[in-house]
Amino acid sequence: MKVILREDVKNLGKKGDLADVAEGYGRNYLIPRGLAVPASEGKLKEAALVKEGRAKKEARAQKDAEALAAKLKDVTLTIASRVGEGGKLYGAVTSRDIARELENFLGRAVDKRKIELSEPIKTLGAYPALLRLYPGVEVQINVTVVAANA
């Protein structure tokens, strides 16, 4: 039985995909739960439009990520933090602090989960941070931690 998926189904496919499933699985599980519809010419055309729309959306997201990566290519962020004796910070500079500073720099939010540090920054100095903006689009920025004037 051929069905068109209305939602992502684990181990079967993504929304809009055409799947060939067993009669019972399609009739007794997928269709009653609204996860799929029987394949017909009209539904196939509709699924093609959904797939095309998804591809355009993904291409736009990748293009935006590449433009952002080009903008951030040789950027150095400076983060001021309170310092104790010996240049040790009170606390640490984390990806959340870097995301906040990037938001101030860019004027738009950057998800802290896309920022990768080898470890939290606990002393003054310059450190590299990797931003994974989109699958296959990465950019390395420099983060400089300086002492804040208290």
Side-chain angles (χ1 to χ4, degrees), residues 65-130:
E66 289 170 351
L68 184 60
K71 186 174 184 181
L72 291 173
K73 191 172 179 188
D74 293 316
V75 168
T76 300
L77 291 179
T78 303
I79 298 177
S81 185
R82 291 182 44 206
V83 181
E85 291 183 26
K88 294 205 178 250
L89 303 179
Y90 290 120
V93 173
T94 61
S95 59
R96 184 178 66 197
D97 302 319
I98 296 170
R100 191 178 313 123
E101 199 63 35
L102 272 172
E103 185 174 348
N104 292 339
F105 176 74
L106 295 171
R108 72 182 228 194
V110 174
D111 188 359
K112 70 177 184 175
R113 294 172 290 191
K114 294 182 177 185
I115 300 170
E116 192 175 297
L117 293 170
S118 55
E119 69 228 14
I121 300 169
K122 297 185 178 187
T123 58
L124 297 177
Y127 300 89
L130 184 66

Side-chain angles (χ1 to χ4, degrees), residues 130-146:
L130 184 66
L131 270 71
R132 296 186 189 278
L133 301 171
Y134 193 79
V137 180
E138 300 174 350
V139 64
Q140 184 152 348
I141 62 169
N142 296 313
V143 178
T144 303
V145 182
V146 296

Side-chain angles (χ1 to χ4, degrees), residues 9-29:
V9 178
K10 191 173 183 179
N11 296 329
L12 192 57
K14 295 190 178 284
K15 179 179 179 179
D17 286 350
L18 180 67
D20 195 10
V21 298
E23 287 279 334
Y25 183 54
R27 190 173 44 248
N28 298 325
Y29 182 78

